[in-house]
Each structure stands twice: as C-alpha cells, then as structure tokens.
Amino acid sequence: MKEPIILFENKNLLVINKPAGLVVHSDGKTKEVNLCDWLIEKYPKIKEVGEPGKNPEGEIIYRPGIVHRLDRETSGAMVIAKTQECFEYLKEQFQNREVHKTYNAVVWGLFKEKKGEVDRPIGRSKSDFRKWSAGRFARGEMREAVTEYKVLKEITLENQDYKITPSFSLIECHPLTGRTHQIRVHMHFLHHPVVGDGLYAPNHPKVLGFERLALHSRSIEFTDLGGGLIKIEAPYPEDFGSALKLFV
C-alpha cells in the first residue's frame, strides 16, 4: 500500500496527501487495506472519532476522523479530524459550504467556454448502479450539485497511434457541493470526461501516462477550532507532474 503523506498536523487535525489507488474506508464487504486502517494504526486514540458505519453483519466499521472522502483513484489533499469536537466543527463547515476545495483534472477535448459553472442536480444512473448522472438518464432523488471550472491550459497531440487527433484540457475545479463523483459526473455531462475514468468514459484509451483517474485534490482551505485559517496544498504525484509537462 502506498502510504499517505502528512502535509500538516496539529492537536486537532491533520491534512494528508492521499495516494491514488487507496480507498478511504471499507465497504463492509471486502478486506482491502484502506486509509482508515492506516489512521487507526498510526493514531489509535482517534479510532472512535467521527461517525462509524456497519457492515452487512451489523459489525461496526470505524471511520476515524473521516469528514469527507476522495474516490479511490483520486489523489490529493484530505483533512482528518483527531477529536470529536473538531470532527463536528469541520462537518458543520462542510455542510455550510465554508470549506474551499480546489481540484485539478485533465479532461478530453477543448472547451468553448473557458470558464463556467455547472449547476446540474445529480441522481443515480438508470444504466449502472455504480454511476451517477446529471442528465436525463438519472433516477431517484436528484440532489443539488454545483461545480465551477476554469481552463488553465490546452494541448492537441499529433500522434499516429490515435485514429483521431486528440485534444486535452487541464482544468481547475471548485465543487461548491459535495456529491459523490461530482466533478466526474459534471465533466461527463459537458462531454469532457476526465482522462482515465473507466466508469464514465470506458471507451476512451489510457493516455498521457495516466493509468488511473486524472483528478487531484490540489488544495483545501478551512478554519481550525481556534478560528484560524488553514490552507494546505498537495504536491502533484509523479503521473500528474509528468502529464503537466506536456501542457506548455
């Protein structure tokens, strides 16, 4: 298991750089090593902090200090509470949309509008229980979802290995809500799926050196219990850093 890197820590919380491939917590069905296992081993006193879940047998699944999650294949900044008081304080900030998150993603294609906002509710996909949808193929409860995006750089590759001449955009995203797969779903809705997204763009090849989802939680900004502002930036992992060199 690739271990998280601690970017910041005090008595109330820590901010980590989560590696791609590491799931945050167990689904109760598999025994896969996850971020919560690492947290309990490194910080045994925070084992019961937060809101534990239960597996199908009714056994408790501890989620120590987990206030928010990143998808398995998403890397980057993630805040963990070390006390219940801090957990409740951070949870309230997330609910009130006072936590500012910045993501970088590499997506397929070039945008006509280089800056914009996707304000589209998200529901379950009609076609695949693993997926969510912001379009007419959604079902069930539709939950508000808003994502701001901005194109940072663009590239078009001249490569004989492709049937078409592919173009890509490096974007910055600010999810104003925290829905599951939100950035991935909204980019798919705009017809600019995230590179390496096998769930929402299964027919797209792996490109630019990405063997996983090209999505990185670049920074997170919030206030600590004392009211002080904390903003932490997560360095790019190797695959992301290598891909960015192509955007000149």
Side-chain angles (χ1 to χ4, degrees):
M1 177 189 83
K2 268 191 174 182
E3 291 197 354
I5 296 172
I6 297 173
L7 301 173
F8 174 85
E9 183 174 8
N10 63 21
K11 65 179 181 180
N12 299 315
L13 57 88
L14 65 146
V15 179
I16 63 166
N17 191 353
K18 186 189 85 66
L22 179 64
V23 69
V24 171
H25 58 68
S26 171
D27 60 4
K29 301 174 184 177
T30 62
K31 298 297 182 181
E32 180 181 4
V33 175
N34 54 68
L35 174 61
C36 289
D37 293 332
W38 180 84
L39 287 167
I40 291 172
E41 180 180 352
K42 192 169 183 64
Y43 300 91
K45 292 183 179 180
I46 75 168
K47 182 177 181 178
E48 298 183 16
V49 170
E51 297 173 346
K54 290 187 177 181
N55 65 16
E57 287 72 44
E59 300 170 329
I60 293 177
I61 300 175
Y62 290 105
R63 297 171 181 171
I66 301 298
V67 192
H68 67 124
R69 293 178 294 176
L70 297 178
D71 293 341
R72 177 200 298 271
E73 296 303 325
T74 301
S75 56
M78 184 174 171
V79 60
I80 311 291
K82 292 169 71 175
T83 68
Q84 191 64 31
E85 183 183 11
C86 185
F87 174 84
E88 300 295 343
Y89 186 77
L90 290 171
K91 179 182 175 182
E92 184 176 6
Q93 286 184 70
F94 274 99
Q95 290 174 339
N96 294 337
R97 302 183 186 177
E98 296 169 345
V99 177
H100 300 285
K101 296 170 288 181
T102 299
Y103 288 78
N104 285 142
V106 179
V107 303
W108 286 87
L110 305 179
F111 289 75
K112 290 183 180 178
E113 301 293 334
K114 305 305 181 185
K115 185 177 182 181
E117 179 180 278
V118 187
D119 187 350
R120 294 284 304 193
I122 289 175
R124 288 283 187 179
S125 169
K126 292 180 181 179
S127 62
D128 189 331
F129 73 94
R130 300 171 301 163
K131 297 170 64 175
W132 297 79
S133 177
R136 58 190 176 92
F137 297 107
R139 63 177 173 82
E141 179 186 2
M142 300 297 291
R143 305 180 70 186
E144 180 189 14
V146 183
T147 305
E148 296 177 343
Y149 74 88
K150 177 174 65 175
V151 175
L152 301 179
K153 294 182 179 180
E154 301 171 332
I155 186 174
T156 298
L157 297 181
E158 300 292 343
N159 192 322
Q160 299 302 315
D161 292 337
Y162 298 107
K163 295 180 181 179
I164 59 173
T165 301
S167 299
F168 305 93
S169 298
L170 170 65
I171 63 172
E172 178 179 287
C173 290
H174 300 277
L176 305 186
T177 49
R179 306 305 176 206
T180 302
H181 297 178
Q182 180 173 315
I183 293 174
R184 299 165 66 185
V185 172
H186 276 168
M187 289 303 108
H188 178 259
F189 174 77
L190 293 180
H191 305 292
H192 293 292
V194 179
V195 166
D197 196 335
L199 185 59
Y200 292 95
N203 297 322
H204 288 60
K206 292 181 178 179
V207 292
L208 307 180
F210 284 106
E211 295 295 327
R212 53 97 173 189
L213 185 69
L215 184 62
H216 181 70
S217 174
R218 181 59 166 162
S219 69
I220 188 166
E221 182 176 344
F222 54 91
T223 59
D224 195 4
L225 277 171
L229 182 66
I230 296 176
K231 182 177 181 180
I232 304 297
E233 187 174 274
Y236 294 115
E238 184 176 351
D239 56 357
F240 224 102
S242 295
L244 292 187
K245 294 176 182 177
L246 300 174
F247 289 85
V248 294

